[in-house]
Amino acid sequence: MATRQALQAINTQDITDKSRRDLLLLLEAVRGKKNLVIERPLASIIGLFVKFSTLQEYGVDKLFFLENHNVDSSQRNIVFLVRGENVKIVRTVAEQIRLVRSESKIDHDFTVIWVPRRTLVSNLILKEHGVLGEANITDLALQFVPLEPDVLSLELEDCFSDLILRRDPTPIFAAARALMLLQKQYGLFPRILGKGDNAKKLADLLQRMRSEEDVNASSDPNNTYLTSFALTPSATIENLIIIDREVDFPTALATQLTYEGLLDEVFGVSHNQTEVDSSILGGAPAPQPQSHTGGSTAPAAAATKRKVQLDSSDKLYPEIRDANFATIGPLLNRTAKRLQTDQQNIHKADQSISDLKSFVSKLPSYQAESASLKTHTSLAEEITKLTQSGPFRRTLEIEQNLLIGSEGSTTHEQLEELLARATPLPTVLRLLCLESTLSNGLRPRDFEHFKRLLLQAYGYQHLGTLARLERMGLFVAREANRGYLNPISGSAGQTATDWNFVRSRLQLWVDEVEEAEPRDIAFVFSGYAPLSVRLVQAVLQKGYLLNLVNPPRAGAAGAAVGTGANGSGWKGFEDVLARIKGATVDVVQKGSDADASQARKTLRGNKEGPKTSLVFFLGGVTFAEVAALRLVGRQLEAAGRGRKLIIGTTGVISGGRAVDVAIEKGVFGA
């Protein structure tokens, strides 16, 4: 129900259809048969909205990945579909064009489609290699990709490292372009709220782009009305809430305890797919058509992997993905009993013709659900082996102690034990970074102590790893004059977060968690409520959040879930925001054209559709946060206020991916 009404507010299917249509038009413009060379990560994204069989209908003969110089020259037309903002990828394209041109006897026509835009740097690199004039160059403005009807993602693989490590603002620009496209389609976001320095940059950029649109409208007399009409306050989108990932590192670093979150932690989920060993699923690997990868060869190990699709097309997955993993066993057991009952009904001898007809119509759905149950039972069994292991339990215990607010030094002995047991480096780094972010840095003595232990245990090549983590602000030494550690400091709240105050004021830890039928977002971490989602609740569920912190006395009427003054923004939580690092954003947008605003109201009449809040994560969102926000969305719907949530993000992040950005992959020679 929530998904259907969210669709009415922002139709994500329209976004999918437009992306498919734009790509097919570009391919259709290249007449005749063609070989398509695509960047491997981009292939999975393209697969979310177009099938290979459809590409074949538009002349694609073979598909190759952009690697190992494996471009086939059997067709005269060769099309490259790659990201144009990655210098390394652009150079590879230039080298492939030169190689094919020099070795092939056919006079090839090259077409390069940059995603999401053509850049000056890409032109310069192609020019340096002498191939700029030898290719037809265009771009595919691929912005938001709907992962689910309520989740829109830019799928920027390097977004976290760009923003946090390299301080590259490119993802902010990409996010602004995508959000501006939504504003053109649905109208201006009436209110832009946000927390974090990058959130402030994004909000400023959106306002600048809006000003540019106003200027373009005034200079184009043929399109003034239509442009002005689009840039009036939206009738369906109530506000945009921007969450900067830097504001809430602990949530990204903690181990997710939802089913979907643990699938990502254990197997890795990318573009709604995960790869697992075929032995885990108890069957032979699914056959891969040779035509999908053309002449490219895969390692022998890849033959033992199977791809599992994880989205709403799965009959069972939508029901279990957001559940706490502790409840997955009973959920799967219930489904198995229901399917067993259905199977027993099939074999009844006294069935009428109408009963048989009804069964035959339901047979495909029954078979699909049975296959899904088998798959998820196998995956859950494999995850259970991990969650019941000693190392996982020790790691989770340390995490929970840190999140509950215990002094970090009390866990140091356990951390040293993990180091002595040769625990995988990412696991140890996640725990150290979690302590550092929750304590605004380790004490200098402890910081140097753990640096020395890490280098001795894992190798001195990780000097680079530690330097990168320090640059990202994940593993740092505590500074005496930083934020709330010095009450006299004027930068309080700008460079550091007062976690003790915020934990108490926003109830970041809940002792009694109902995992089977959750009523609070803390179920996603079995006690810890993500700060990012609490900030969303501070806007959309003020009454609930205030009651959670200060429960009403017995007999007093509690505020309904989702109550709060409409359009009140951060009101009531200013003191908390002042103690969280980063800038606070609160911008009210009004239409510049009064006539267009009045026209929109006249067309809408008295009909008020579902009000939608768009929550955008700049720097990545975890599956645990998605599950928590879906619970908030269900509560808003149950409150009967006609408000829905759509989740937007630059990509999906996890603690493993966050620290992997910094880890040095090379080793010193012998």
Side-chain angles (χ1 to χ4, degrees):
M1 182 66 178
T3 299
R4 183 182 67 81
Q5 293 192 0
L7 271 169
Q8 293 174 356
I10 295 181
N11 195 333
T12 53
Q13 186 59 44
D14 285 349
I15 300 174
T16 301
D17 293 341
K18 184 181 183 302
S19 300
R20 183 190 304 111
R21 186 167 57 250
D22 290 347
L23 174 60
L24 296 180
L25 283 173
L26 290 174
L27 292 176
E28 191 176 30
V30 182
R31 298 187 177 278
K33 291 283 187 180
K34 58 197 75 83
N35 287 340
L36 181 61
V37 184
I38 189 169
E39 187 183 344
R40 187 181 285 271
L42 198 56
S44 299
I45 299 174
I46 298 298
L48 290 172
F49 58 83
V50 64
K51 295 181 179 179
F52 182 74
S53 58
T54 306
L55 297 179
Q56 288 178 312
E57 294 174 7
Y58 281 77
V60 174
D61 182 38
K62 294 179 181 178
L63 190 149
F64 299 87
F65 292 129
L66 185 70
E67 54 189 28
N68 303 326
H69 299 288
N70 59 358
V71 177
D72 184 71
S73 57
S74 58
Q75 294 294 340
R76 183 171 181 270
N77 293 313
I78 299 178
V79 180
F80 292 88
L81 182 63
V82 292
R83 291 196 180 274
E85 296 171 342
N86 188 318
V87 173
K88 184 178 178 182
I89 293 296
V90 176
R91 285 203 178 97
T92 303
V93 171
E95 291 168 1
Q96 297 257 20
I97 292 175
R98 288 182 61 182
L99 182 65
V100 173
R101 180 70 79 194
S102 62
E103 294 184 353
S104 177
K105 297 179 180 179
I106 302 175
D107 185 19
H108 291 282
D109 283 340
F110 297 98
T111 300
V112 180
I113 304 174
W114 298 123
V115 179
R117 62 192 176 102
R118 182 177 182 176
T119 63
L120 180 61
V121 172
S122 64
N123 284 349
L124 290 173
I125 293 175
L126 293 181
K127 187 176 181 180
E128 286 176 2
H129 286 75
V131 297
L132 181 60
E134 297 193 22
N136 300 313
I137 301 176
T138 184
D139 56 30
L140 174 64
L142 187 63
Q143 308 290 350
F144 279 127
V145 177
L147 297 181
E148 288 291 340
D150 60 343
V151 180
L152 299 172
S153 175
L154 293 172
E155 293 296 90
L156 302 177
E157 275 207 332
D158 299 325
C159 173
F160 186 81
S161 57
D162 285 343
L163 284 175
I164 310 302
L165 177 60
R166 290 183 282 274
R167 303 295 169 180
D168 181 352
T170 302
I172 300 177
F173 179 74
R177 288 187 68 193
L179 292 169
M180 198 64 200
L181 197 62
L182 285 181
Q183 289 196 108
K184 288 181 180 180
Q185 185 172 359
Y186 296 99
L188 292 173
F189 305 129
R191 196 159 192 170
I192 301 177
L193 302 159
K195 185 61 184 174
D197 293 335
N198 287 329
K200 179 71 164 60
K201 293 175 184 176
L202 177 55
D204 291 344
L205 190 52
L206 282 172
Q207 289 178 283
R208 177 182 171 182
M209 287 182 170
R210 184 218 170 159
S211 299
E212 291 172 354
E213 286 292 333
D214 288 340
V215 172
N216 292 337
S218 62
S219 62
D220 183 4
N222 298 321
N223 200 36
T224 301
Y225 174 74
L226 291 176
T227 306
S228 299
F229 187 80
L231 293 181
T232 57
S234 174
T236 56
I237 301 177
E238 186 176 27
N239 47 39
L240 167 67
I241 304 172
I242 306 170
I243 303 296
D244 182 359
R245 185 74 276 168
E246 281 194 89
V247 167
D248 186 16
F249 277 141
T251 295
L253 292 167
T255 301
Q256 306 170 75
L257 296 179
T258 61
Y259 178 55
E260 189 170 33
L262 278 170
L263 281 174
D264 191 27
E265 298 277 0
V266 177
F267 303 109
V269 177
S270 179
H271 317 307
N272 286 354
Q273 288 185 335
T274 185
E275 284 193 358
V276 299
D277 289 334
S278 56
S279 58
I280 293 174
L281 299 178
Q288 298 291 331
Q290 185 67 23
S291 58
H292 280 224
T293 55
S296 60
T297 57
T304 65
K305 295 283 187 180
R306 282 183 59 179
K307 285 187 176 181
V308 179
Q309 193 70 23
L310 300 171
D311 56 24
S312 296
S313 63
D314 188 304
K315 298 294 294 184
L316 181 59
Y317 189 62
E319 300 176 17
I320 62 175
R321 62 187 173 191
D322 297 329
N324 186 288
F325 190 72
T327 67
I328 286 297
L331 284 173
L332 293 175
N333 188 40
R334 235 179 359 250
T335 303
K337 288 182 177 179
R338 176 171 55 79
L339 291 176
Q340 186 178 23
T341 302
D342 293 344
Q343 188 178 26
Q344 290 172 351
N345 292 335
I346 294 170
H347 298 289
K348 287 183 179 180
D350 57 347
Q351 290 190 74
S352 64
I353 298 297
S354 60
D355 291 336
L356 288 173
K357 184 179 179 181
S358 175
F359 162 71
V360 170
S361 65
K362 296 177 182 177
L363 187 59
S365 175
Y366 171 81
Q367 292 174 331
E369 194 169 4
S370 297
S372 176
L373 176 64
K374 181 179 178 182
T375 297
H376 290 293
T377 301
S378 300
L379 293 174
E381 185 178 5
E382 192 67 20
I383 294 174
T384 301
K385 294 177 183 177
L386 171 72
T387 57
Q388 291 183 348
S389 65
F392 182 87
R393 291 180 179 275
R394 284 191 292 270
T395 300
L396 191 60
E397 181 185 356
I398 296 173
E399 276 187 14
Q400 302 261 318
N401 286 336
L402 291 171
L403 291 170
I404 204 172
S406 300
E407 176 63 33
S409 58
T410 60
T411 65
H412 287 177
E413 188 174 331
Q414 294 170 290
L415 283 168
E416 290 173 1
E417 182 183 351
L418 290 177
L419 280 161
R421 290 175 178 270
T423 303
L425 178 61
T427 302
V428 177
L429 288 180
R430 283 177 71 169
L431 293 172
L432 286 171
C433 290
L434 183 62
E435 180 186 344
S436 176
T437 53
L438 287 170
S439 307
N440 294 316
L442 273 67
R443 290 184 301 180
R445 183 180 61 187
D446 294 331
F447 180 68
E448 293 300 328
H449 173 66
F450 278 108
K451 280 178 68 174
R452 184 168 59 253
L453 289 180
L454 285 167
L455 294 174
Q456 291 172 348
Y458 300 101
Y460 283 87
Q461 71 271 18
H462 290 295
L463 276 167
T465 300
L466 297 174
R468 283 187 282 272
L469 287 173
E470 196 167 353
R471 194 184 316 156
M472 295 164 72
L474 291 177
F475 183 53
V476 296
R478 187 179 301 169
E479 299 174 10
N481 63 343
R482 194 177 181 202
Y484 280 95
L485 301 175
N486 180 5
I488 303 176
S489 173
S491 61
Q494 297 301 310
T495 60
T497 298
D498 185 354
W499 283 101
N500 288 331
F501 179 84
V502 174
R503 186 182 292 110
S504 171
R505 186 73 170 80
L506 293 181
Q507 198 75 18
L508 296 187
W509 184 266
V510 178
D511 290 320
E512 297 180 6
V513 181
E514 297 180 17
E515 295 172 338
E517 296 182 2
R519 291 190 295 177
D520 187 79
I521 61 171
F523 82 98
V524 297
F525 288 104
S526 293
Y528 169 67
L531 170 60
S532 55
V533 185
R534 281 288 194 239
L535 289 175
V536 174
Q537 289 182 302
V539 176
L540 303 179
Q541 293 183 304
K542 294 181 186 295
Y544 169 76
L545 196 52
L546 290 171
N547 278 356
L548 191 66
V549 178
N550 298 307
R553 286 176 292 180
V561 172
T563 58
N566 186 25
S568 57
W570 298 114
K571 187 176 180 181
F573 293 91
E574 295 90 344
D575 58 336
V576 186
L577 293 169
R579 291 174 179 258
I580 299 175
K581 71 175 181 179
T584 301
V585 179
D586 190 348
V587 178
V588 176
Q589 295 195 109
K590 296 181 179 179
S592 56
D593 191 326
D595 292 336
S597 298
Q598 185 61 40
R600 183 182 289 277
K601 289 181 180 179
T602 303
L603 289 174
R604 186 170 73 244
N606 295 324
K607 297 177 181 177
E608 287 292 338
K611 287 288 186 180
T612 300
S613 291
L614 176 59
V615 182
F616 187 81
F617 286 82
L618 187 56
V621 66
T622 64
F623 286 119
E625 288 168 310
V626 171
L629 284 171
R630 283 178 174 148
L631 174 63
V632 172
R634 290 194 297 271
Q635 290 175 341
L636 290 173
E637 181 184 358
R641 298 179 63 86
R643 296 167 72 178
K644 306 299 167 191
L645 278 185
I646 294 289
I647 304 162
T649 180
T650 50
V652 177
I653 191 71
S654 66
R657 292 191 188 97
V659 298
D660 188 64
V661 165
I663 293 177
E664 176 61 49
K665 305 301 189 295
V667 295
F668 288 132

